[in-house]
Amino acid sequence: MKKEFWRVTVVAASLAACMALPSFGQETKEINIAYQSSIAYAPMLVMKEQGLVEKHYDGDVTVNYNLMANGAEINEAIISG
């Protein structure tokens, strides 16, 4: 069970990092991260509370954490940009 939790954690963090990467030739100053109120998103909450994304970018980026109700809402947000 513990192995599975860390696998999910790594996958979630990797997906968040990939979504945060800027396109070639563009510089990103704002990152939007969507999450749900679930124990599966605990790593995202730790990242939010400790400001890990901001630290990684040396505070040169604004991170918006958006609490969403369900996966369908998150998918719609990703598709719409």
Side-chain angles (χ1 to χ4, degrees), residues 8-9 12 18-19 21 27 36 40 42 45 51-52 55 71:
V8 170
T9 302
C18 289
M19 297 299 275
L21 292 175
E27 190 171 324
Q36 297 176 9
L45 295 175
L52 296 179
K55 288 179 187 175

Side-chain angles (χ1 to χ4, degrees), residues 2-66:
K2 194 172 188 179
K3 275 186 170 180
E4 187 64 30
F5 174 77
W6 286 110
R7 286 182 188 156
V8 170
T9 302
V10 169
V11 169
S14 298
L15 287 174
C18 289
M19 297 299 275
L21 292 175
S23 301
F24 291 107
Q26 295 179 350
E27 190 171 324
T28 301
K29 295 291 183 182
E30 184 177 17
I31 298 173
N32 293 307
I33 297 177
Y35 67 97
Q36 297 176 9
S37 59
S38 165
I39 191 68
Y41 288 88
M44 294 296 168
L45 295 175
V46 171
M47 288 172 50
K48 177 182 177 182
E49 292 300 316
Q50 294 183 359
L52 296 179
V53 177
E54 292 90 343
K55 288 179 187 175
H56 177 73
Y57 283 95
D58 296 326
D60 195 30
V61 68
T62 302
V63 181
N64 300 319
Y65 291 91
N66 303 305

